[in-house]
Amino acid sequence: MRQTTTIIILLFCQNLFGQIKFGTYSQLDTSVYADLKLYSDNKFDFYDTRDGSCFVWASTLGNWKLNKDTIIFSWQSTSTESSDSIISSKDFKNKNVEIAFFYDNGIPIPNVEVSLSCLFDNQPKKYKTGKNGKVTIPQKETIEPDKKMCVGSERMLYFDIKNKTVKLSANTSLDYYADSLDNVFKIIIKRNPKTTYNIETKKYLIRDNTLSDIDPKEFYNYNWGDFKFLTEKYGR
């Protein structure tokens, strides 16, 4: 009886795994390198380069399992709060740019290395914040080579914090946070940004060596598209 049960289980597993080919799957609707690699040890790797910017290319690693004619992918995602936030305002009486750094509990951050320049200035002058966490940068430091102010161009803020509490280097466009007349900036640094962990899943219908998404998400990160089997090799 035990031998018969074992044979039935083996046949059942073979039937399930027979629905799936291991190797590389490519997307049905694009020639861009966005491949799903399916491994026999119930692991997968989806490498996505569909976006025009390489900064958002991503590789998703996780596990898969079968449920009849459906393959279910699962993986852990992480999300971390931004380490810095910017508050900007205008001071028409001040001809300089005032930048202040504070922790999220209101304590000023001294010795922050700061530079503020136009987008293509490769050698901006550097400053350091005082004990009050503030630094004053003359307006002339935000002038482009042709002597035009950084109005309409991106004003790039670079800062470097290295102390016992925080080690953070960043650059950002101040025009993203403010209009061209803002000249007072308060940067708030979070000492302990929160990180959240979630288990994400996606389901695909298996049919004729294709995988059809049966629970598409609105968010781009989850919109993998549909796949067709490409090769038993793990690569194009």
Side-chain angles (χ1 to χ4, degrees), residues 60-61 74-80 195-200 222:
T60 302
L61 307 175
S74 62
W75 67 97
Q76 180 177 272
S77 66
T78 60
S79 177
T80 303
T195 299
T196 57
Y197 301 89
N198 297 292
I199 299 298
E200 310 288 352
Y222 300 115

Side-chain angles (χ1 to χ4, degrees), residues 142-157:
T142 61
I143 297 178
E144 292 181 344
D146 60 0
K147 302 304 180 183
K148 292 182 180 178
M149 299 296 292
C150 281
V151 176
S153 299
E154 290 184 334
R155 290 179 293 171
M156 300 302 299
L157 170 68

Side-chain angles (χ1 to χ4, degrees), residues 30-54:
T30 180
S31 60
V32 177
Y33 192 90
D35 290 349
L36 174 67
K37 296 177 182 179
L38 209 62
Y39 302 96
S40 59
D41 62 353
N42 292 88
K43 304 291 185 182
F44 78 89
D45 179 2
F46 176 48
Y47 187 59
D48 189 359
T49 64
R50 286 173 293 171
D51 197 278
S53 172
C54 62

Side-chain angles (χ1 to χ4, degrees), residues 80-94:
T80 303
E81 289 182 312
S82 175
S83 299
D84 62 287
S85 59
I86 297 178
I87 301 172
S88 63
S89 61
K90 303 178 183 66
D91 182 359
F92 293 107
K93 296 180 180 180
N94 192 344

